[in-house]
Amino acid sequence: MAVEEEGLRVFQSVRIKIGEAKNLPSYPGPTKMRDCYCTVNLDQEEVFRTKIVEKSLCPFYGEDFYCEIPRTFRHLSFYIFDRDVFRRDSIIGKVAIRKEDLQKYHNRDTWFQLQHVDADSEVQGKVHLELRLSEVITDTGAVCHKLATRILECQGLPIVNGQCDPYATVTLAGPFRSEAKKTKVKKKTNNPQFDEVFYFEVTRPCSYSRKSHFDFEEEDVDKLEIRVDLWNASNLKFGDEFLGELRIPLKVLQQSSCYEAWYFLQPRDNGKSPKPDDLGSLRLNVVYTEDHVFSSDYYSPLRDLLLKSADVEPVSASAAHILGEVCREKQEAAVPLVRLLLHYGCVVPFISAIASAEVKRTQDPNTIFRGNSLASKCIDETMKLAGMHYLQVTLKPVIEEICQSHRPCEIDPVKLKDGENLENNMENLRQYVDRIFTIITKSGVSCPTVMCDIFFSLREAAAKRFQDDLDVRYTAVSSFIFLRFFAPAILSPSLFQLTPHHTDLQTSRTLTLISKTIQTLGSLSKSKSASFKESYMATFYEFFNEQKYADAVKNFLDLISSSGRSDPRSIEQPILLKEGFMIKRAQGRKRFGMKNFKKRWFRLTNHEFTYQKSKGDQPLCCIPIENILAVERLEEESFRMKNMFQVIQPERALYIQANNCVEARDWIDVLTKVSQRNQQRLSVYHPAAYLNGHWLCCRASSDMAAGCSPCTGGLPANIQLDIDGDRETERIYSLFSSYMGKLEKMQEACGSRSVYDGPEQEEYSTFLIDDPQETYKTLRQVITSVVALEQEHAQHRRDKFKKTRYGSQEHPIGDKSFQNYIRQQSEVSTHSM
């Protein structure tokens, strides 16, 4: 979801590798070990949870998480939880990284010390406050000062134990006084509208008799401050929960008697020092990205250079290939490059060109496409994007069956459990491998066209380069479809959305053995037994040493890499797109009765949207895709619940609450995409619910009244390739900009090779330059385009700086990243004068 700014869109995303924790405090019991998991949180909202690692004080997670961030946030937080024998979860510690500090740790493994978690430090949200100091003339003619403190509203307060009933205390405090007042409690909302005013006497007339109370001179006002504390009203015996505070010295009123601003809530400053206990540490790799995307015409010069890369001779002189040369890792370049080329239908010719060039440089057919080249990374990324549904259709049913059946398949004699039989386990594993192998080799007709076109070009290039090796036309393709596509998906099904959660240890071991065998079956290697380090795997593989398996692989590879392959008549079968538990509000089919909220298992395919009590039950409700007229967010005030959205049908709307903001966005996106081509889609909708005989948004009384707000729309109908071409071009620009030094170094290398044909200088040897003149020409065009975009971004920052007020709703006081931004822009303005 993009945040709209004047003239551009801003996207936030984060990619996290959760490595391992070490030296966690031991459990106060006989075993000393803990069963731990880690969560990823935006502030205090959980958006991801790792598997539980049992019986360890140094748990290894090794999990990746990526999400588009759909809202503003202050901290990216990681909590380590321990699940005890009673299945209760307790927090061991946390790592909280401020948004403005994320760039310090960008894309590098870092060990973070775990910190203690307590109510005083768990703070999020912001407060809108207004102060007004006025002179009041008393009946005797004396002058005194009164302070009006108006607390208008708060936004983004945390949900505590499933709810938030906030109130605020407002205190005028000084060296010798403290006077507190309290707002009303606002029920079931984390965005309370208070709009209450409290009056405090700041100075009294000098004739005031109770001098022991206070008697301030004018300058003593500077010693006073207003403190606002937010609390969650609780019925628990432990008292109300602290939500955060802010402190404002009255000297902010020196320049003007009226002051109004938004503030970020801060942790309580109670004078306590943090506990010194060592809670251990957590290894993380965090990549946080902000894409500031202009309108499409700004990117035309750079985009045109990239899109014509396949036509450049040689391809190593193209803008897309140069991107791969200057980036530190090929993957860094491949991700936005493939997405952009896919969006404009240019990915096949470009991959064909760079793959052909790589094959020409390959000396040994056994090493073809074995390296982490730009061609390999681009093909991997294309398969991820275009082949995800192919994996779902092919592997998901059998993977689910393996996860549910729990048949023992361990074939390592050393790892056999008591009571297990080696022969039985081998037979179980053989049946699984046989079934998955058959499913894969019979699935050629379902392989996406874009993948088949790429495989055809790989096959042709390899066969032309190594004409004496009859198998190379197969191994060039199998190294991708088996080694880099099917085998990883079997090994880690949760990463490919084939399972909703991580598999248990026994199932994970079974899938590892299956993946190894399938990988070897697909490789068509000459010496099968030598492919395995473990003797038990070589013994097991004897089951598959029949010619029929090699023939089946070759037939499959022939089909998916055939010249002029056309898709046969598509078989209309349901493709599972997303599933999981959410909470739905009863749709009110009966005239009378409670319309309550219930937890249900939701399931979306390309045919229908259903829900049932539990996974595998008969559907309680089935909505055909063609009946979905719109999918939109639901205003929080409708039911005072966060993360709600509505699926609008001809007769009614289904109101649903997702588990968190990321899940809500994902469901809205996929439901919108799958129903985008419905002819009856609405252009307007009601952003709030229909309750008590009227729509809460527009107050219309008829439940069939036309909507009052325009629908969000314009999303492409293609589910698997939802790509924003301008955003991908902006990402490529950012890469070029960050590697400008390497671009200039590559220019120098081109110049050096053009005039000097001797031994290559070592500092230029990292670049692949086949044609120095053509490469230099492209580099000059790339640098010109990048510099022009840099100037546009700099101008936008200057314009924004002039218009933005510190203390506004967008940039509350306490926003350190914005404070740094102001300082930087002030320096820029000073230097430019």
Side-chain angles (χ1 to χ4, degrees), residues 533-589:
K533 298 176 183 177
E534 309 93 340
S535 58
Y536 61 85
M537 284 300 299
T539 302
F540 173 69
Y541 198 82
E542 294 300 322
F543 284 119
F544 305 98
N545 260 338
E546 299 179 40
Q547 187 60 35
K548 66 176 184 179
Y549 291 102
D551 291 342
V553 169
K554 288 183 177 181
N555 290 337
F556 169 67
L557 296 175
D558 279 335
L559 179 60
I560 65 173
S561 60
S562 301
S563 174
R565 172 187 178 275
S566 60
D567 287 327
R569 188 174 60 85
S570 60
I571 302 170
E572 280 297 319
Q573 55 180 318
I575 300 174
L576 181 63
L577 302 176
K578 191 171 178 62
E579 62 181 344
F581 277 113
M582 291 190 289
I583 294 173
K584 67 94 188 175
R585 182 178 186 266
Q587 298 183 71
R589 294 185 180 84

Side-chain angles (χ1 to χ4, degrees), residues 611-631:
Y611 63 78
Q612 52 236 53
K613 281 191 175 181
S614 298
K615 184 177 181 180
D617 290 351
Q618 287 297 312
L620 298 173
C621 174
C622 176
I623 304 172
I625 294 301
E626 57 269 22
N627 283 3
I628 297 178
L629 306 184
V631 185

Side-chain angles (χ1 to χ4, degrees), residues 589-645:
R589 294 185 180 84
K590 298 179 180 178
R591 186 177 179 86
F592 301 101
M594 293 291 291
K595 296 177 180 171
N596 54 353
F597 292 85
K598 292 187 177 179
K599 189 175 183 180
R600 293 289 182 256
W601 180 266
F602 284 82
R603 196 169 187 271
L604 174 66
T605 71
N606 58 330
H607 288 185
E608 60 190 13
F609 183 48
T610 62
Y611 63 78
Q612 52 236 53
K613 281 191 175 181
S614 298
K615 184 177 181 180
D617 290 351
Q618 287 297 312
L620 298 173
C621 174
C622 176
I623 304 172
I625 294 301
E626 57 269 22
N627 283 3
I628 297 178
L629 306 184
V631 185
E632 299 287 348
R633 293 186 179 276
L634 187 69
E635 287 183 354
E636 200 170 300
E637 287 70 22
S638 294
F639 300 106
R640 295 184 177 179
M641 296 169 67
K642 292 175 69 68
N643 305 317
M644 289 202 72
F645 63 94

Side-chain angles (χ1 to χ4, degrees), residues 338-368:
V338 164
R339 294 176 67 86
L340 177 71
L341 296 175
L342 266 171
H343 182 66
Y344 288 100
C346 303
V347 75
V348 173
F350 175 69
I351 288 179
S352 298
I354 58 174
S356 179
E358 181 176 334
V359 169
K360 289 177 182 176
R361 292 191 296 270
T362 304
Q363 301 302 317
D364 183 353
N366 294 316
T367 63
I368 195 166

Side-chain angles (χ1 to χ4, degrees), residues 795-808:
Q795 184 61 49
H796 183 272
R797 288 193 296 269
R798 286 192 291 269
D799 293 344
K800 180 181 176 183
F801 172 67
K802 291 176 184 176
K803 297 176 182 178
T804 305
R805 181 175 70 88
Y806 187 45
S808 64

Side-chain angles (χ1 to χ4, degrees), residues 48-212:
F48 178 72
R49 179 178 296 198
T50 69
K51 63 189 175 188
I52 296 176
V53 177
E54 298 180 345
K55 298 180 177 60
S56 176
L57 297 180
C58 297
F60 177 80
Y61 298 107
E63 296 191 35
D64 296 344
F65 171 65
Y66 172 84
C67 78
E68 298 282 334
I69 301 175
R71 63 170 177 83
T72 58
F73 69 101
R74 292 175 64 188
H75 292 89
L76 183 64
S77 302
F78 303 84
Y79 292 77
I80 298 289
F81 285 86
D82 175 35
R83 175 162 291 183
D84 64 18
V85 293
F86 301 105
R87 299 188 67 79
R88 294 175 303 192
D89 297 342
S90 58
I91 298 177
I92 296 175
K94 75 171 182 179
V95 171
I97 308 173
R98 295 185 306 185
K99 179 181 177 181
E100 57 267 25
D101 292 337
L102 286 170
Q103 286 302 319
K104 294 180 184 177
Y105 312 106
H106 181 78
N107 200 22
R108 59 188 177 89
D109 282 4
T110 306
W111 284 98
F112 294 90
Q113 286 295 124
L114 290 172
Q115 304 296 321
H116 281 276
V117 177
D118 56 50
D120 290 348
S121 66
E122 292 288 277
V123 168
Q124 68 180 60
K126 53 190 176 182
V127 183
H128 191 191
L129 201 68
E130 182 182 291
L131 303 178
R132 187 182 298 273
L133 188 65
S134 54
E135 291 185 348
V136 179
I137 301 176
T138 65
D139 293 340
T140 61
V143 177
C144 65
H145 294 84
K146 284 196 173 183
L147 175 70
T149 302
R150 182 184 180 193
I151 179 166
L152 291 100
E153 61 178 310
C154 298
Q155 286 187 357
L157 299 179
I159 304 295
V160 182
N161 296 323
Q163 67 176 33
C164 190
D165 297 334
Y167 69 90
T169 59
V170 183
T171 305
L172 178 66
F176 308 107
R177 66 181 291 194
S178 179
E179 184 180 356
K181 300 183 181 183
K182 175 182 170 183
T183 69
K184 297 176 182 176
V185 175
K186 298 294 181 179
K187 293 286 189 180
K188 296 182 179 178
T189 177
N190 64 337
N191 298 313
Q193 303 281 330
F194 291 112
D195 200 10
E196 295 189 39
V197 183
F198 301 102
Y199 294 93
F200 299 92
E201 289 182 331
V202 177
T203 60
R204 294 271 185 130
C206 293
S207 59
Y208 184 61
S209 59
R210 294 181 60 188
K211 289 182 184 263
S212 59

